[in-house]
Amino acid sequence: MKTMIHTIKEINERKDILPNHTLGYQIFDTCYAISKTMETAFTFLTGQEEYQPNFRNSTGKYLVGIIGAGGSSLSVAASRILGLYRMPQVGYTSSCPILSDSYPFSAFLRTIPSDKIQSEAMVTLIKHFGWVWVGAIAADDDYGKYGVKTFKEKIKGTNICVAFSETIPKVYSNEKMQKAVTAVKTSTARVVVLFTSDIDLSPFVLEMVHHNITDRTWIASEAWITSALIAKPEYFPYFGGTIGFAVPRAVIPGLKDFLYDVHPSKDPNDVLTIEFWQTAFNCTWPNSSVPYNVDHRVNMTGKEDRLYDTSDHLCTGEEKLEDLKNTYLDTSQLRTTNNVKQAVYAIAYGLDRLSRCDIRESDKADRPCSHIPDFQPRELLYYLKGLRFTTHDGRQLQWDMKGDVQSGHYDILNWQRDDAGDITFVKVGEYKFQKLSFELILPKNSTIFWNTESSRLPDSVCTKLCPPGTRKRIRYGQPTCCFDCIPCADGYVSEKPGQRECDACGEDDWSNAQKSKCVPKEVEFLAYEEALGFTLVILSIFGALVVLAVTVVYVIYRHTPLVKANDRELSFLIQMSLVITVLSSMLFIGKPVNWSCMAHQVTLALGFCLCLSSVLGKTISLFFAYRISKSKTRLISMHPIIRKLIVLVCVLGETGVCLAYLLLEPPRMFKNIETQNVKIIFECNEGSIEFLCSIFGFDVLLALLCFLTTFVARQLPDNYYEGKCITFAMLVFFIVWISFVPAYLSTKGKFKVAVEIFAILASSYGLLGCIFLPKCFIILLRPKRNTEETVGGRVPTVDRSIQLTSASVSSELNNTTVSTVLDE
């Protein structure tokens, strides 16, 4: 009130605003009650104690605008009446968002930002500190309810959840109060938003003290953040560390001296000054009918409430205001007070625009100029809406068409304790806002006091953040901030805490044991360095050396009857093919590459084709020998070149199929990630299965022909049973590869390759052992049996009483004359 009076006097003394006009005022007390506010609004309009609106006040002067009221609910009540008559009303503390509705509150403007901005600021502050689980408490009035409602709307789309939302009753109700207290006490939320005035909050504070509820961080609205009623040292253990938003502080020149310049003797009819004086100094002003206000005594003196008998204690007039310590004389926190000053100036600037007919160019054709004093208060609204002026401290104040300020800032205050034990409001940051932009400023060097056991930033969550390796699973029927942490599935990871979903690893990666990071998959192939691969290489080399040893024996004893019998060139071809097959198994070992995938199957197929076609050349000779021995007829001669042609035709046919395979659908290296999730199996994609079956099917056909021809000729009498050896060799070959198929299909990875190599080596060793080892045994250990008589003596062709041996038959078939061995 004193600030309003001081501002009006200041304006009246200025020559640049409303020259030749004087502003006056009339003061009514709303008593912080809606009913009294409604009564006051009617009194303003009628100018007397009658509730019939006209537009004259009791002094007979023109009523052009109203400053107030001092609360959102009061302003809402008054504006519903005043707005019907478009009476300009400028609020200085009424921040309720509903007052921005231009239809029912078309005549209301304010110098304080709407709670839409304050709610946005609160959400931004909460997000900045990482709080996700907060409570909300509101006063049971328009300010509290709409404030919390707007706050809840602002947090939609964020990861913030409201743990509880309760109201503080305007009229004390133990049931409602205990419900709010219980919510704070039992909730895991350690951060609580309080949208209430200091008067409504006071009973709740006493309940917090009574229940000894500490370790809470309160986010204060501007209505109580700097309230001396709440900011008392005895409440600090419960409300210390409060952080909230306040309208900017300002220094009003001359106001402090003006506040001190009060004395009842200056105006004996000033009942407010007399009441203030009596309450401040605990005395009764002589010859005054103003009662002593005991209710306000504590607030005015800052001392404990003691009832004095003031009838004998008269004021002397010598009391000094300088000796007092109360909120009236405290000009260090001129925040709402500064809004009052701006509200008065706003109406003054509006009247000044009206007096100068400051109309927008677009409106000049439709709007005539208004003149003082012949104008209606509703005409002043045109000049107030969109008003822009510079305040005494250099700030810009501009209203939009809804009467809300378009730009400004909040001070972010933190309750701390000074050396004397008193509570101080420490500015730790700012929240700046403009029409379409917002900015939270919290300097890193600002020290914020947190009222926690560790004096560190509180952690307010329903469920602690899920660690890496887990993800959130929302609990059914509960807010999204309440969740369970479940491990990520195999192949999925969460690297950051609190992830809602786990991220899938790439095809070459897999999750580690903690599911917190994707790591490269284990690469699997049959390597030379490992024991299995090294063993197979040794077996391959050993097999090749054994074959070479047999070849050396054959070369050394190439002129002996046993070596020359039954086509020694074919024997050398078989030995060469066995070297190829046993060494081709080494192509299967090591990391597959395209060239090795193309080479190993083709080399193996050609090696077996050469071996089996050579064996087929031998078996055909035995087959004919068996038929001759059965018929006892003359020998049918088979020229050696025919056997060579059989080998050549078979190898050329197999080579043609292999070339078509390599040119049309060649095998390629393939990374198999489907067989095992945790491994990448490097293997060969064989390309065309049809081609692969064709080339190995041809080898199987050759092996089958060899087996059938030798099986038929197995009864051929001989000292050296060539037919039986080949028969057993073919049996071994078929047994190995028949058992290989199910074993190959039932294994995976490098063991699949190992099975194939074992089959190659086993079949190669089987052919080597069955065909050549008996002969080498005779050549090296039984040389007496390696004679023409034993292997194949001279036998007359007409002498049917002599059975033919396989070796002698071979000798006969290799010559048109009767000779022992002509296969040279």
Side-chain angles (χ1 to χ4, degrees), residues 28-202:
F28 286 84
D29 191 355
T30 63
C31 300
Y32 207 71
I34 294 178
S35 58
K36 188 66 175 178
T37 303
M38 297 289 286
E39 178 184 332
T40 301
F42 278 113
T43 303
F44 266 124
L45 293 174
T46 60
Q48 53 192 345
E49 299 300 327
E50 296 178 3
Y51 302 151
Q52 297 177 356
N54 53 42
F55 298 108
R56 302 282 180 175
N57 66 3
S58 59
T59 62
K61 304 297 182 181
Y62 287 94
L63 175 62
V64 296
I66 296 173
I67 307 296
S72 292
S73 296
L74 308 181
S75 293
V76 168
S79 186
R80 291 187 186 277
I81 301 300
L82 300 173
L84 294 175
Y85 303 95
R86 307 277 287 173
M87 174 65 68
Q89 180 183 355
V90 182
Y92 54 89
T93 61
S94 303
S95 57
C96 182
I98 195 177
L99 290 168
S100 298
D101 191 343
S102 58
Y103 179 72
F105 308 106
S106 58
F108 185 83
L109 306 94
R110 50 188 162 188
T111 57
I112 187 172
S114 167
D115 281 336
K116 288 184 178 180
I117 298 176
Q118 184 171 201
S119 297
E120 183 75 40
M122 286 182 174
V123 173
T124 305
L125 184 74
I126 291 170
K127 290 169 62 177
H128 174 80
F129 289 118
W131 298 321
V132 297
W133 188 236
V134 298
I137 292 181
D140 192 12
D141 56 13
D142 291 330
Y143 172 73
K145 289 181 177 179
Y146 279 101
V148 169
K149 178 178 179 292
T150 306
F151 172 75
K152 291 180 179 179
E153 292 174 352
K154 295 295 182 180
I155 65 174
K156 290 182 179 179
T158 67
N159 62 338
I160 303 172
C161 301
V162 177
F164 59 87
S165 180
E166 300 294 339
T167 57
I168 300 174
K170 295 285 287 186
V171 179
Y172 186 82
S173 168
N174 185 64
E175 180 182 354
K176 294 181 179 179
M177 184 64 74
Q178 293 307 315
K179 184 179 179 183
V181 172
T182 302
V184 176
K185 188 175 183 178
T186 58
S187 175
T188 57
R190 291 295 178 265
V191 176
V192 183
V193 173
L194 272 174
F195 257 106
T196 177
S197 65
D198 54 353
I199 296 176
D200 294 329
L201 181 61
S202 184

Side-chain angles (χ1 to χ4, degrees), residues 743-763:
Y744 183 80
L745 295 177
S746 62
T747 55
K748 299 177 181 178
K750 62 182 180 180
F751 297 104
K752 193 173 187 178
V753 179
V755 167
E756 188 171 2
I757 296 174
F758 275 121
I760 295 171
L761 294 178
S763 58

Side-chain angles (χ1 to χ4, degrees), residues 206-223:
L206 295 177
E207 291 290 342
M208 291 292 104
V209 175
H210 176 71
H211 289 83
N212 194 29
I213 299 177
T214 58
D215 195 27
R216 299 294 188 277
T217 296
W218 307 93
I219 298 181
S221 63
E222 38 73 35

Side-chain angles (χ1 to χ4, degrees), residues 631-659:
S631 62
K632 307 298 183 180
T633 60
R634 187 179 180 278
L635 291 175
I636 299 175
S637 176
M638 176 180 285
H639 198 277
I641 195 66
I642 297 177
R643 288 174 285 185
K644 308 300 190 295
L645 287 175
I646 292 173
V647 175
L648 181 61
V649 171
C650 292
V651 172
L652 288 178
E654 183 81 337
T655 303
V657 177
C658 290
L659 287 176

Side-chain angles (χ1 to χ4, degrees), residues 445-586:
N445 57 355
S446 60
T447 302
I448 301 177
F449 172 76
W450 301 111
N451 191 24
T452 59
E453 294 181 0
S454 61
S455 297
R456 295 181 180 178
L457 178 70
D459 188 18
S460 186
V461 295
C462 178
T463 306
K464 289 188 176 181
L465 207 61
C466 290
T470 61
R471 67 174 180 86
K472 295 180 181 179
R473 182 176 64 184
I474 304 302
R475 295 174 184 170
Y476 181 75
Q478 295 190 24
T480 57
C481 297
C482 300
F483 48 83
D484 297 316
C485 298
I486 60 175
C488 294
D490 292 338
Y492 290 80
V493 298
S494 59
E495 298 183 357
K496 299 178 180 178
Q499 285 191 208
R500 180 70 180 271
E501 299 292 340
C502 297
D503 302 319
C505 293
E507 65 176 16
D508 292 341
D509 297 325
W510 195 249
S511 55
N512 59 2
Q514 295 76 25
K515 308 295 175 58
S516 60
K517 187 177 181 182
C518 288
V519 295
K521 290 182 178 179
E522 180 183 349
V523 176
E524 180 178 291
F525 57 88
L526 188 58
Y528 291 100
E529 297 81 9
E530 57 183 304
L532 181 59
F534 183 74
T535 302
L536 294 176
V537 169
I538 295 299
L539 291 176
S540 300
I541 296 175
F542 178 74
L545 293 177
V546 172
V547 176
L548 291 176
V550 172
T551 303
V552 170
V553 171
Y554 264 61
V555 171
I556 295 175
Y557 295 95
R558 64 185 178 278
H559 299 297
T560 60
L562 190 60
V563 174
K564 291 190 292 184
N566 202 14
D567 205 331
R568 62 184 174 187
E569 285 81 5
L570 292 181
S571 297
F572 284 124
L573 286 177
I574 294 173
Q575 293 165 13
M576 184 179 70
S577 65
L578 290 177
V579 172
I580 293 174
T581 56
V582 295
L583 291 181
S584 68
S585 63
M586 297 177 63

Side-chain angles (χ1 to χ4, degrees), residues 323-364:
D323 297 334
L324 295 177
K325 184 180 181 182
N326 54 36
T327 56
Y328 172 74
L329 299 173
D330 182 10
T331 58
S332 63
Q333 298 292 330
L334 299 181
R335 299 179 184 274
T336 304
T337 309
N338 187 51
N339 283 350
V340 174
K341 182 180 180 69
Q342 308 314 326
V344 175
Y345 260 100
I347 291 184
Y349 277 114
L351 286 170
D352 186 64
R353 288 184 62 195
L354 183 145
S355 66
R356 293 183 286 104
C357 196
D358 184 9
I359 302 176
R360 291 187 293 266
E361 291 292 333
S362 59
D363 295 340
K364 286 185 177 180

